[in-house]
Amino acid sequence: MKLLRIDSSPLKEMSTSRAIADSLQQHLETKGFTLSNHRDLFYDKQVTLGNQDRFTGYFTPEDQQSESQKEAVADSNELALEFAAADAYIIAAPMYNFGVTAPLKAYIDLISRNGISFNYTESGPVGLLEGKKAYVIVSTGGTPVGSEVDFVSKYLKTFLGFVGITDVEIIPADLTHTQKDEAINRAKNLIAGY
């Protein structure tokens, strides 16, 4: 089983979401998962906002794309195909201002591709990534995961469902400004049950 890990915190050693993702990755590897790739979004040069050529390139058939459109969508093609090829995902998502970090949102825009992660149909979009599993680590400083202002969990579950991934485990690591050790221990106890 191919596992894709996605980190979206700018912090390295001080990151709660990375520490929990390390534990989860180690646990899943003992269950037969193999890390196929690790995307560190704050430091990944392929994760960019793009430009007009990228946007228009998405909606232009490949054989009709200009050279600048082909160049502009190349990173998106690679990231979307890599995401689609995985069997399971670790998404480490710290909450910034009640939502996901900017690089994680940019990454989601890059991998949301018609014909790769979903298809447009007459009755609306249909996800193409059914039968996959996602583990979403949500770390917060002071916002309870699952509260009405937790837009990270809701957003990521909605996005994953959109591309067909409905088997989603939310691993909360919340209130770390006052309970960091307790939050990490609670998350690790959840991981031990997977």
Side-chain angles (χ1 to χ4, degrees), residues 22 27 47:
D22 288 343
H27 179 75
V47 178

Side-chain angles (χ1 to χ4, degrees), residues 95-169:
M95 179 184 290
Y96 277 34
N97 302 312
F98 307 105
V100 298
T101 61
L104 181 53
K105 175 60 171 82
Y107 177 77
I108 287 169
D109 290 343
L110 289 164
I111 63 174
S112 299
R113 294 292 303 281
N114 183 39
I116 299 175
S117 53
F118 72 95
N119 270 338
Y120 286 118
T121 70
E122 289 183 8
S123 56
V126 174
L128 298 176
L129 306 182
E130 294 179 345
K132 298 173 186 276
K133 174 87 174 181
Y135 299 89
V136 178
I137 300 159
V138 181
S139 60
T140 76
T143 302
V145 170
S147 70
E148 64 181 22
V149 293
D150 167 16
F151 301 112
V152 174
S153 302
K154 295 171 191 173
Y155 172 66
L156 291 175
K157 283 186 88 166
T158 300
F159 161 70
L160 291 165
F162 171 75
V163 296
I165 302 168
T166 56
D167 189 358
V168 179
E169 298 283 350

Side-chain angles (χ1 to χ4, degrees), residues 54-84:
R54 180 183 286 164
F55 184 78
T56 58
Y58 289 155
F59 300 99
T60 303
E62 189 174 348
D63 62 346
Q64 297 173 30
Q65 289 175 347
S66 68
E67 286 305 312
S68 59
Q69 286 175 323
K70 287 178 183 177
E71 185 178 321
V73 300
D75 286 338
S76 176
N77 290 342
E78 182 180 333
L79 293 167
L81 289 168
E82 174 186 85
F83 190 84

